[in-house]
Structure formats: C-alpha cells, structure tokens
Amino acid sequence: MDDNHTTFLVEGSLKPYIEGHHLIPMAAQDYFEYTIDFADNIVTLCPTCHRKIHYATADVKAEMLKTLFNQRAALYPKYGISVNTKLLESFYGII
Ligand SMILES: [Zn+2]
Ligand SMILES: [Zn+2]
C-alpha cells in the first residue's frame, strides 16, 4: 500500500515477504450467512501495513479500508456477502 515500505526476500522462493489479512475480519463471520473465508477477502500487505490496519488510529485505518475496499467491493456479491464501507468500518471499531 505504500511504495516507501520495504520488506525482505523469503529464503527459497526469493519473493518479497508479505502477510495475508481478511479485509472483512473473521471476527465478523457471525454477521454473515455465508463464509467470508475466501481468497477475494484476503489482501496481502507488507508487515508494517498489516500492523497498521490492526493498530493505527481510526482515521488512518479508515483511509486504508477505503483504498482496499474500493479494489474488492465488486467481488463480494458473488459470495453472497453484502457489505459497504460503513459496515466494514464498524467491524474495525471506526464508527
Ligand atoms: Zn490481519
Ligand atoms: Zn506497507
């Protein structure tokens, strides 16, 4: 999410180290009738951005969510998942 962030290459694969994060948090599973544990709900972040989306201040988290959700919003209906920015923010304790 930030070109200034650096990570490192993983031994063996020699690919940049990244971490997976459920954009709709798994803790919100009970809100939905269908599973939210699918690949399109997982974003890959550098370790710093991953900590950021969990622990940053509300305004910073909201900005990250806006960017990430805009990239994924159209994919959720095919999984039977109805979600919008406000609902997503509520899952992150923003509103
Ligand atoms: Zn996470
Ligand atoms: Zn980053």
Side-chain angles (χ1 to χ4, degrees):
M1 293 204 70
D2 188 329
D3 291 338
N4 294 318
H5 291 172
T6 58
T7 178
F8 54 88
L9 299 182
V10 177
E11 186 175 46
S13 72
L14 296 182
K15 289 187 171 148
Y17 176 80
I18 47 170
E19 297 178 349
H21 171 78
H22 285 89
L23 189 55
I24 301 176
M26 287 309 294
Q29 178 62 75
D30 285 352
Y31 183 90
F32 299 99
E33 183 179 355
Y34 300 106
T35 184
I36 54 172
D37 194 15
F38 48 82
D40 284 336
N41 188 37
I42 298 173
V43 294
T44 52
L45 301 170
C46 87
T48 300
C49 286
H50 192 199
R51 292 300 93 188
K52 207 168 144 188
I53 205 164
H54 281 277
Y55 299 113
T57 51
D59 56 327
V60 170
K61 281 197 277 197
E63 194 59 40
M64 291 180 82
L65 287 178
K66 200 168 104 182
T67 302
L68 292 169
F69 186 60
N70 282 345
Q71 298 167 357
R72 299 291 173 96
L75 302 173
Y76 287 100
K78 72 177 174 189
Y79 297 96
I81 300 298
S82 177
V83 62
N84 56 41
T85 307
K86 286 286 167 230
L87 182 60
L88 191 60
E89 288 181 350
S90 75
F91 294 147
Y92 283 78
I94 290 170
I95 45 170

